[in-house]
C-alpha cells in the first residue's frame, strides 16, 4: 500500500469511527486500522482536536474500543516482542498519544466524566486479558518473585486500563530490539536482585557472615592499592563524610531487606554514567533505537499530562492517579528509566554532533535528550519529596524500606534523586548540566552564523538543575565545596540578559532568578563569584575587569533599566541577590560600581520613590549592599566609594528628607499624572455628548454640561485620591529602614580629602590618583561598628511550587507545537493565547 493510499485509508477509518457505531467484534475493521502504515504526523493531522473530542463526546463506545484494543496490542507486544509486530505497535503508540490527552481533559484533575472514569479506571479481568504482568516481568528480565506488587487490587484480581497502559509503556522503553539491545542477566545480578523482593535470609547468621566476607574483600582490595591510591581513597571517604555532615544527614543505616535502587541489569540503561560502571552499548547501537524511544516517551508524557487540565487554585500534586502509577514503587523498570533518562541528558554533548555545519538541526538524538528532560521533570514534579536518608543492605546497595515505599504519595523517582550521594556522580551531574547550558552562548560564537544548533531545551535543564538543588541536600553542599560555581552563573546571566525584552521568556527569567536567589543564600557561592570573569559573550554586555559578582550585578541592572515591564515583580529578588553576595565581593569593577550607583539614583528619584507606600524597600536593599561592601570589603571597593562621593548630594538629600519636602516632590510627580487622567476623562465625556451634523453640541446636551463638569471634577478628585501621599508614619518608617549612617560617616571623612586634592591640583586631577588615595586611606575607627551580615534565603511555599509546575508544563506545551500533543483549548493550568503563539503561566 502506497503512502497516499494508506493515508486515505486511515482517514476513512477515522471518519467511520466518528460517524458510525463500529462494533468491537468487527475484527476486519480493527485489524485493518492497526495495520495501516501511518506516521505520527499523519495520525495527528487526521485525528484533529475536534475529531478527538467528537469521538469522546458523541461516539464514546468507539473510543473505548479504540483505547482498549490499542492497550491490548501494547501489552501483547510486551509479552511476545517479535519484530514483525513492531510497526503495528508503533501505530498503537501514536494513536494512544493522540487520544489520551483528550481523555485526560475529563480525568482526575480535569472535568470529571463517568464514562472516562469507567474506561480508564474500571477493572479489566486478568483472567480474560492478554496481559499478564508477571509474564511481562519475566520477559523484561524480572519475575513475580523479583517484583514488589504494591497495587491496590480489588478482590476479583482486576486491573484498570490506565495502569495497564502506563506499565506497558514502561516495559516498552526497555523492549529488546525495539528500544534496547538484547541483554543477559549475570548470576551476580540474579543473586543481588532485590527490586521489590524481601531480601531476608533463612540463615540468621547470614547478614553477619556477609558483612565479614565483604570486609575481607575490601581489605584484600586495599592491600593491592598503591600508597597514592590509598591516600586518594581515604581523602574521598573523608570528603564524603564531611559533605554529609554539612548537609545534616545521619550516618548510613543498614537493614536486611528492601527495594534496591540500582538498575538491574545494567545493560538496560540507555547511556553510561550514573549507577552504570560499564556498559556494552556503544554510541552506534544506542542511537539506532532513538526514534522508537522518542515515540514511546511521547506516549508516557501524554499519559502524565493530568496537571494541564487542573485550575491553578485547585491543583493537587497527589491527585493524579496516572502519575501515581508511573512513580509507584512497583512501576516496571522505574529505576532503569530514571538512570536512562538522566544519563541520556548529562552524557549528551552538542559539540560532538556530526561535524558538518548546519547538520545538528537534524540530529534525532537531540530530540530524545529533550524529551528525556521533559519526562524526567514531569516524573519528579508529583507525589511527596524523597527521603534523603541513606539506607543500604548488606551488599552495600541503596534500598528503600518496604514501609516507606508503601506510603501514599510515594515517588520512587524523587527518592532516587534524593539519595545520590557519590561525589563522583554529583560532579558528573553538575558538569553535564553546565556543559549543556554553556552550549546556548557557545553556539553563537561561530565563524558561520547558525552553523551550530543552539540547545533548545535549556529551560528543561534549568528545571532539572532546580530539582537537584531542591531534592538532594548533598548536591548544594557538593557544588559549593568541590565545583566551580561560576560555571552555572555565566549561562544563567547570558540567558537573562539576552531574553530580558522577550515576553515569552518571562517565565525563564523567573526560573533563573529563583536559581540565583537560592544559590546566593550560600556563603561559598558568594566567595566563589570572586573568580575572574574573562569570557567574551555574544551580546552587548559592557567589557569590564572584574569577577562573576560583577557579571551578576551588571546583568540585573540591565533587567531593571531595560527589561520587560513583566519583570517588575522580580525587582525585590534582584536586589536581594546582590545584597546576599555583597559582603564577600572582594573587588568591585568600575562598570559594576557605576551601574549600582546609577540604579540607586533611579530608585531614589521622586517618580519611583513616591510611586507607592513601600517603594523605598528596594532603596533600602541597595543601601545595605553599599554598607556591606564598605564595611567588609573596603580595600577592593575604591570604584564604588568614588562613585558614591560623586553622588554625595543624592545621599545627603535622602538623609535629610522632611515631610514637607516629601509632599512637595510627591505633588510634582502626581500633578502630571492627575492632569493626564483629567484629560482622558474629558475626552470620554466629549465622546458621550450628543452632537448635530455640524459637530455642535445639542441643546439638551448643553443643559447637562454643568452636571458633566461637576462629574468631571469628582472624577478628577477620585483619580487624585488613587495616588500615594507621604505621611508622618511613612516618613518615620522610611527613615527607620534607610541604613544610611555608614555612608554619612564615609562622606564626612573622605569628601574633604578629595576636595583638598582637587583644589591643590587646580581642578585637574587624574582619576587614578584619586582611586589610589581611596585605596590607601584607612577607615578604621571612623565608620560605625560593622553590622551583622544578613543573608536572605529562598523560602519555598505552595505558591512557588505551583508556579514551577505551571512553568514546566508551559515549556512542555510550547515545545510540542510541531507535533501538537496538547490542545490549548482545554488547558486550565495556565493561559494560552488565541493564536497558540505564546503561553503564560499564572
Amino acid at each position: 500500500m502506497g503512502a497516499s493510499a494508506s493515508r486515505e485509508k486511515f482517514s476513512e477509518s477515522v471518519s467511520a469511527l466518528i460517524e458510525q457505531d463500529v462494533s468491537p467484534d468487527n475484527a476486519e475493521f480493527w485489524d485493518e486500522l492497526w495495520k495501516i502504515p501511518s506516521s505520527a504526523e499523519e495520525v495527528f493531522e487526521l485525528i484533529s482536536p475536534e475529531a478527538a473530542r467528537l469521538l469522546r463526546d458523541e461516539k464514546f463506545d468507539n473510543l473505548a474500543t479504540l483505547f482498549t484494543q490499542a492497550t491490548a496490542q501494547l501489552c501483547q507486544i510486551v509479552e511476545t516482542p517479535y519484530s514483525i509486530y513492531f510497526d503495528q505497535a508503533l501505530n498503537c503508540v501514536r494513536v494512544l498519544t493522540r487520544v489520551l490527552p483528550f481523555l485526560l481533559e475529563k480525568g482526575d484533575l480535569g472535568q470529571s466524566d463517568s464514562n472516562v472514569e469507567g474506561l480508564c479506571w474500571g477493572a479489566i479481568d486478568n483472567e480474560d486479558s492478554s496481559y499478564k504482568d508477571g509474564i511481562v516481568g519475566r520477559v523484561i528480565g524480572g519475575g513475580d518473585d523479583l517484583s514488589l506488587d504494591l497495587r491496590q487490587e480489588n478482590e476479583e484480581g482486576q486491573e484498570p486500563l490506565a495502569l495497564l497502559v502506563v506499565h506497558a509503556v514502561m516495559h516498552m522503553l526497555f523492549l529488546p530490539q525495539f528500544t534496547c539491545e538484547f541483554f543477559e542477566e549475570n548470576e551476580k545480578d540474579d543473586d543481588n536482585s532485590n527490586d521489590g523482593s524481601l531480601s531476608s535470609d533463612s540463615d540468621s547468621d547470614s547478614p553477619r557472615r556477609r558483612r565479614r566476607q565483604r570486609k575481607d574483600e575490601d581489605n584484600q582490595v586495599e592491600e593491592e592499592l598503591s600508597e597514592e591510591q590509598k591516600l586518594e581513597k581515604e581523602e574521598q571517604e573523608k570528603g564524603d563524610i564531611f559533605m554529609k555532615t554539612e548537609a545534616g544527614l545521619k550516618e548510613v543505616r543498614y537493614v536486611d531487606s528492601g527495594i534496591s535502587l540500582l538498575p538491574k541489569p545494567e545493560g538496560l540503561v540507555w547511556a553510561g554514567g550514573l549507577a552504570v560502571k560499564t556498559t556494552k552499548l556503544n554510541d552506534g547501537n544506542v542511537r539506532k533505537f532513538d526514534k522508537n524511544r522518542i515515540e514511546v516517551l511521547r506516549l508516557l508524557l501524554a499519559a502524565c499530562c493530568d496537571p494541564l487540565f487542573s485550575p491553578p487554585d485547585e491543583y493537587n500534586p497527589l491527585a493524579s492517579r496516572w502519575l501515581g502509577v508511573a512513580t509507584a514503587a512497583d512501576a516496571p523498570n522505574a529505576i532503569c528509566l530514571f538512570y536512562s533518562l538522566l544519563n541520556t541528558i548529562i552524557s549528551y554533548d552538542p559539540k560532538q554532533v556530526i561535524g558538518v555545519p548546519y547538520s545538528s538541526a537534524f540530529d534525532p538524538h537531540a530530540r530524545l535528550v529533550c524529551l528525556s528532560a521533559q519526562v524526567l521533570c514531569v516524573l519528579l514534579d508529583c507525589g511527596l519529596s524523597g527521603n534523603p536518608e541513606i539506607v543500604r543492605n548488606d551488599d552495600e546497595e541503596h534500598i528503600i524500606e518496604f514501609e516507606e515505599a508503601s506510603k501514599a504519595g510515594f515517588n520512587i523517582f524523587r527518592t532516587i534523586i534524593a539519595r545520590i550521594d557519590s561525589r563522583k556522580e554529583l560532579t558528573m551531574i553538575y558538569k553535564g548540566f553546565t556543559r549543556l547550558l554553556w552550549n546556548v552562548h557557545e553556539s553563537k560564537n561561530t565563524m558561520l552564523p547558525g552553523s551550530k544548533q543552539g540547545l533548545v531545551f535549556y529551560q528543561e535543564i534549568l528545571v532539572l538543575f532546580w530539582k537537584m538543588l531542591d531534592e538532594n541536600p548533598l548536591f548544594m553542599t557538593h557544588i559549593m565545596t568541590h565545583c566551580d560555581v561560576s560555571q552555572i552563573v555565566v549561562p544563567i546571566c547570558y540567558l537573562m540578559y539576552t531574553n530580558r525584552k522577550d515576553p515569552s521568556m518571562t517565565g525563564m527569567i523567573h526560573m533563573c532568578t529563583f536559581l540565583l536567589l537560592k544559590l546566593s543564600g550560600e556563603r561559598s557561592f558568594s566567595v566563589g563569584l570572586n573568580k575572574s570573569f574573562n569570557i567574551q559573550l555574544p551580546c552587548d554586555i559592557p567589557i569590564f575587569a572584574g569577577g562573576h559578582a560583577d557579571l551578576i550585578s551588571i546583568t540585573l541592572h540591565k533587567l531593571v533599566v531595560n527589561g520587560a515591564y513583566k519583570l517588575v515583580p522580580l525587582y525585590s529578588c534582584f536586589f536581594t541577590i546582590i545584597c546576599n553576595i555583597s559582603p564577600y565581593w572582594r573587588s568591585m569593577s568600575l562598570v559594576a560600581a557605576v551601574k549600582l550607583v546609577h540604579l540607586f539614583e533611579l530608585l531614589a528619584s521622586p517618580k519611583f520613590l513616591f510611586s507607592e507606600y513601600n517603594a523605598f524597600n528596594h532603596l533600602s536593599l541597595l543601601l545595605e549592599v553599599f554598607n556591606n561592601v564598605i564595611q567588609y570589603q573596603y580595600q577592593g571597593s575604591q570604584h564604588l566609594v568614588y562613585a558614591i562621593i560623586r553622588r554625595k548630594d543624592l545621599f545627603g538629600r535622602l538623609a535629610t528628607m522632611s515631610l514637607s519636602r516629601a509632599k512637595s516632590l510627591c505633588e510634582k510627580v502626581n500633578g502630571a499624572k492627575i492632569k493626564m487622567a483629567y484629560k482622558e476623562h474629558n475626552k470620554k465625556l466629549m465622546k458621550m455628548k450628543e452632537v448635530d451634523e455640524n459637530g455642535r453640541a445639542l441643546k439638551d446636551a448643553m443643559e447637562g454640561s454643568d452636571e458633566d463638569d461637576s462629574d468631571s471634577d469628582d472624577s478628577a478628585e477620585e483619580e487624585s485620591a488613587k495616588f500615594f501621599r507621604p505621611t508622618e508614619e511613612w516618613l518615620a518608617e522610611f527613615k527607620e529602614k534607610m541604613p544610611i549612617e555608614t555612608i554619612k560617616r564615609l562622606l564626612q571623612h573622605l569628601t574633604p580629602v578629595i576636595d583638598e586634592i582637587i583644589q591643590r591640583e587646580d581642578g585637574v586631577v587624574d582619576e587614578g590618583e584619586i582611586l589610589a588615595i581611596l585605596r590607601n586611606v584607612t577607615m578604621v575607627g571612623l565608620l560605625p561598628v560593622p553590622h551583622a551580615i544578613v543573608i536572605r534565603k529562598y523560602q519555598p511555599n505552595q505558591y512557588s511550587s505551583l508556579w514551577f509546575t505551571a512553568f514546566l508544563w508551559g515549556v512542555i506545551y510550547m515545545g510540542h507545537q510541531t507535533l501538537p500533543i496538547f490542545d490549548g483549548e482545554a488547558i486550565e493550568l495556565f493561559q494560552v493565547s488565541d493564536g497558540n503563539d505564546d503561553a503564560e503561566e499564572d
Side-chain angles (χ1 to χ4, degrees):
M1 186 182 293
S4 59
S6 63
R7 176 187 173 87
E8 182 179 353
K9 188 63 180 174
F10 188 82
S11 179
E12 291 175 358
S13 299
V14 173
S15 299
L17 288 172
I18 296 173
E19 299 169 0
Q20 306 170 15
D21 293 325
V22 182
S23 171
D25 299 326
N26 190 344
E28 182 180 354
F29 175 86
W30 294 108
D31 288 346
E32 188 176 31
L33 173 65
W34 301 123
K35 291 178 181 178
I36 298 174
S38 305
S39 66
E41 290 74 16
E42 289 175 339
V43 170
F44 274 70
E45 180 184 350
L46 296 176
I47 305 179
S48 64
E50 294 77 15
R53 291 194 178 98
L54 190 62
L55 192 62
R56 180 195 65 199
D57 299 333
E58 303 295 334
K59 297 291 181 182
F60 189 81
D61 288 343
N62 288 350
L63 178 61
T65 305
L66 183 78
F67 183 60
T68 304
Q69 289 212 9
T71 303
Q73 295 264 5
L74 296 189
C75 295
Q76 186 62 44
I77 198 67
V78 170
E79 185 177 346
T80 54
Y82 299 139
S83 58
I84 58 173
Y85 300 125
F86 285 170
D87 290 338
Q88 188 170 331
L90 283 174
N91 279 345
C92 297
V93 167
R94 291 160 186 159
V95 170
L96 284 174
T97 303
R98 186 52 171 158
V99 302
L100 259 180
F102 297 98
L103 281 174
L104 292 180
E105 287 179 4
K106 296 190 175 183
D108 290 346
L109 302 182
Q111 302 173 358
S112 59
D113 183 274
S114 58
N115 286 333
V116 174
E117 172 71 18
L119 174 63
C120 296
W121 298 103
I124 299 297
D125 194 341
N126 276 342
E127 297 296 327
D128 298 330
S129 173
S130 62
Y131 179 85
K132 296 286 191 297
D133 199 52
I135 297 176
V136 173
R138 284 190 286 273
V139 171
I140 297 303
D144 288 338
D145 57 333
L146 298 178
S147 61
L148 175 65
D149 190 356
L150 296 177
R151 293 188 300 275
Q152 300 297 322
E153 298 181 3
N154 59 27
E155 295 178 358
E156 299 178 0
Q158 298 176 337
E159 294 174 334
L161 274 176
L163 182 143
L164 301 183
V165 170
V166 174
H167 279 199
V169 168
M170 297 181 77
H171 279 306
M172 289 184 70
L173 288 168
F174 302 95
L175 204 60
Q177 292 304 296
F178 184 71
T179 48
C180 69
E181 291 283 9
F182 284 114
F183 57 88
E184 295 181 0
E185 290 192 83
N186 56 39
E187 294 181 3
K188 183 176 180 180
D189 283 336
D190 289 335
D191 293 339
N192 295 337
S193 183
N194 291 333
D195 286 343
S197 64
L198 187 66
S199 58
S200 60
D201 201 307
S202 58
D203 185 356
S204 59
D205 294 333
S206 181
R208 187 180 303 170
R209 187 175 64 250
R210 286 203 300 270
R211 291 192 189 98
R212 191 164 53 245
Q213 181 180 356
R214 187 176 63 250
K215 185 176 181 180
D216 293 340
E217 292 175 354
D218 291 342
N219 291 336
Q220 184 178 354
V221 171
E222 190 170 347
E223 290 176 359
E224 298 174 358
L225 296 176
S226 63
E227 289 298 325
E228 184 177 349
Q229 290 174 324
K230 289 180 181 178
L231 289 174
E232 183 179 352
K233 182 181 178 182
E234 184 179 349
E235 187 67 24
Q236 185 173 355
E237 289 175 351
K238 288 181 180 179
D240 288 344
I241 295 173
F242 172 78
M243 182 174 64
K244 292 172 184 176
T245 304
E246 285 290 305
L249 294 182
K250 300 177 182 178
E251 294 184 0
V252 177
R253 184 162 57 88
Y254 288 91
V255 297
D256 293 335
S257 60
I259 305 169
S260 175
L261 292 180
L262 293 180
K264 296 177 181 179
E266 288 185 5
L268 278 181
V269 180
W270 295 349
L274 274 68
V276 181
K277 298 177 182 177
T278 58
T279 177
K280 300 177 181 178
L281 301 177
N282 56 46
D283 187 65
N285 62 26
V286 166
R287 296 196 174 189
K288 72 180 182 181
F289 300 114
D290 281 356
K291 292 183 178 179
N292 289 347
R293 290 171 178 171
I294 290 171
E295 298 266 15
V296 182
L297 279 178
R298 198 183 287 138
L299 174 54
L300 182 58
L301 187 63
C304 295
C305 69
D306 256 346
L308 279 174
F309 311 112
S310 170
D313 56 342
E314 299 176 9
Y315 177 71
N316 180 357
L318 303 178
S320 174
R321 285 174 287 180
W322 292 83
L323 281 165
V325 169
T327 58
D330 66 331
N333 301 310
I335 298 168
C336 289
L337 178 59
F338 173 84
Y339 285 109
S340 294
L341 296 176
L342 185 56
N343 288 352
T344 298
I345 296 164
I346 64 174
S347 64
Y348 178 61
D349 188 353
K351 294 180 182 178
Q352 295 180 357
V353 180
I354 311 170
V356 181
Y358 304 101
S359 63
S360 56
F362 308 102
D363 179 27
H365 191 67
R367 296 200 299 273
L368 175 65
V369 178
C370 175
L371 201 53
S372 297
Q374 292 175 353
V375 171
L376 185 55
C377 286
V378 168
L379 295 174
L380 290 171
D381 195 55
C382 62
L384 301 175
S385 297
N387 182 2
E389 182 187 4
I390 307 300
V391 181
R392 294 178 180 170
N393 61 11
D394 296 312
D395 296 317
E396 289 293 335
E397 293 181 351
H398 284 271
I399 63 171
I400 315 168
E401 293 179 277
F402 297 116
E403 182 180 356
E404 182 177 350
S406 61
K407 292 179 180 178
F410 174 80
N411 185 327
I412 192 167
F413 293 90
R414 297 182 74 170
T415 300
I416 298 172
I417 201 172
R419 297 193 181 185
I420 299 174
D421 65 338
S422 165
R423 287 171 57 187
K424 179 181 178 181
E425 292 184 341
L426 293 172
T427 301
M428 197 181 303
I429 294 172
Y430 181 72
K431 288 184 176 180
F433 288 160
T434 54
R435 181 179 63 252
L436 291 171
L437 291 174
W438 270 65
N439 174 259
V440 179
H441 66 82
E442 286 179 336
S443 62
K444 309 288 191 213
N445 284 331
T446 58
M447 298 296 291
L448 298 173
S451 61
K452 289 185 179 180
Q453 178 76 11
L455 197 73
V456 296
F457 53 93
Y458 54 85
Q459 297 188 82
E460 290 90 331
I461 300 302
L462 290 172
V463 174
L464 276 179
F465 185 72
W466 175 268
K467 290 292 184 184
M468 276 299 303
L469 290 173
D470 198 40
E471 298 285 346
N472 191 309
L474 295 177
F475 188 64
M476 175 74 84
T477 304
H478 176 74
I479 63 177
M480 293 301 159
T481 54
H482 297 94
C483 299
D484 183 0
V485 295
S486 66
Q487 292 294 300
I488 195 67
V489 170
V490 173
I492 286 178
C493 288
Y494 174 78
L495 288 170
M496 296 176 75
Y497 193 95
T498 54
N499 292 284
R500 65 187 184 276
K501 290 185 177 181
D502 187 350
S504 66
M505 290 288 108
T506 302
M508 186 273 296
I509 293 179
H510 275 73
M511 184 77 251
C512 292
T513 302
F514 293 146
L515 282 170
L516 288 179
L517 183 61
K518 191 175 184 70
L519 292 170
S520 68
E522 302 294 326
R523 177 185 177 277
S524 299
F525 174 78
S526 301
V527 173
L529 293 178
N530 289 300
K531 181 182 178 181
S532 177
F533 176 77
N534 50 18
I535 301 167
Q536 184 63 46
L537 295 174
C539 59
D540 61 344
I541 288 182
I543 298 174
F544 63 92
H548 289 74
D550 299 83
L551 174 65
I552 290 177
S553 65
I554 292 170
T555 300
L556 298 182
H557 167 269
K558 193 70 171 180
L559 266 66
V560 172
V561 302
N562 193 26
Y565 181 74
K566 289 183 178 181
L567 301 181
V568 171
L570 289 177
Y571 286 0
S572 59
C573 293
F574 293 164
F575 299 131
T576 300
I577 292 167
I578 300 175
C579 194
N580 282 346
I581 66 178
S582 59
Y584 314 100
W585 198 342
R586 292 175 190 161
S587 179
M588 185 182 295
S589 69
L590 172 62
V591 176
V594 172
K595 297 288 186 187
L596 285 180
V597 174
H598 171 258
L599 200 54
F600 185 85
E601 189 174 13
L602 177 67
L603 297 177
S605 64
K607 182 178 180 180
F608 187 92
L609 185 59
F610 301 113
S611 60
E612 59 180 349
Y613 186 91
N614 293 318
F616 57 79
N617 285 339
H618 301 327
L619 205 60
S620 175
L621 283 172
L622 267 185
L623 273 176
E624 188 174 335
V625 170
F626 298 155
N627 292 342
N628 286 338
V629 174
I630 292 170
Q631 290 278 22
Y632 293 99
Q633 303 294 341
Y634 179 82
Q635 294 302 316
S637 60
Q638 299 79 34
H639 292 298
L640 176 63
V641 172
Y642 185 42
I644 290 174
I645 293 173
R646 294 182 64 178
R647 299 289 195 283
K648 59 181 181 294
D649 293 340
L650 170 64
F651 292 93
R653 288 194 297 269
L654 284 176
T656 58
M657 178 71 73
S658 63
L659 183 60
S660 59
R661 185 165 173 273
K663 288 183 176 180
S664 175
L665 292 172
C666 186
E667 288 299 327
K668 290 181 181 179
V669 173
N670 293 341
K673 295 179 182 178
I674 294 171
K675 287 181 180 179
M676 185 63 67
Y678 184 77
K679 288 180 180 179
E680 290 295 326
H681 184 73
N682 281 345
K683 287 181 181 178
K684 292 180 181 179
L685 287 178
M686 290 301 296
K687 290 179 181 179
M688 295 169 61
K689 289 182 178 180
E690 297 181 9
V691 296
D692 61 14
E693 55 190 14
N694 295 321
R696 293 190 296 267
L698 297 177
K699 183 177 179 180
D700 294 340
M702 293 295 291
E703 291 175 354
S705 61
D706 293 339
E707 185 179 348
D708 292 339
D709 290 340
S710 62
D711 289 342
S712 65
D713 292 338
D714 293 340
S715 299
E717 291 179 4
E718 291 177 4
E719 288 294 331
S720 177
K722 292 179 182 178
F723 299 119
F724 164 72
R725 296 177 184 277
T727 61
E728 287 284 358
E729 293 77 10
W730 176 87
L731 183 63
E733 188 174 347
F734 171 81
K735 288 184 174 294
E736 181 184 354
K737 290 190 176 181
M738 288 291 110
I740 206 167
E741 184 63 27
T742 298
I743 292 180
K744 283 174 60 178
R745 296 274 194 92
L746 180 82
L747 293 174
Q748 287 173 4
H749 179 72
L750 293 182
T751 301
V753 175
I754 301 303
D755 289 343
E756 181 183 350
I757 296 173
I758 295 174
Q759 186 177 5
R760 187 173 63 238
E761 300 293 337
D762 295 329
V764 182
V765 183
D766 181 65
E767 190 174 277
E769 183 180 346
I770 294 178
L771 292 175
I773 292 172
L774 293 176
R775 185 182 302 112
N776 295 325
V777 71
T778 178
M779 298 299 294
V780 177
L782 300 175
L783 296 176
V785 177
H787 57 279
I789 295 176
V790 178
I791 301 298
R792 299 167 177 86
K793 295 196 174 188
Y794 168 81
Q795 297 295 329
N797 56 68
Q798 61 177 352
Y799 300 107
S800 61
S801 298
L802 175 61
W803 182 89
F804 285 118
T805 299
F807 170 70
L808 169 61
W809 280 106
V811 170
I812 293 174
Y813 171 77
M814 293 302 296
H816 288 273
Q817 295 303 298
T818 305
L819 200 66
I821 300 177
F822 317 108
D823 183 60
E825 183 178 326
I827 291 177
E828 297 284 345
L829 188 62
F830 50 82
Q831 297 176 353
V832 181
S833 65
D834 293 337
N836 286 341
D837 292 325
D838 186 28
E840 298 178 1
E841 292 75 33
D842 285 344

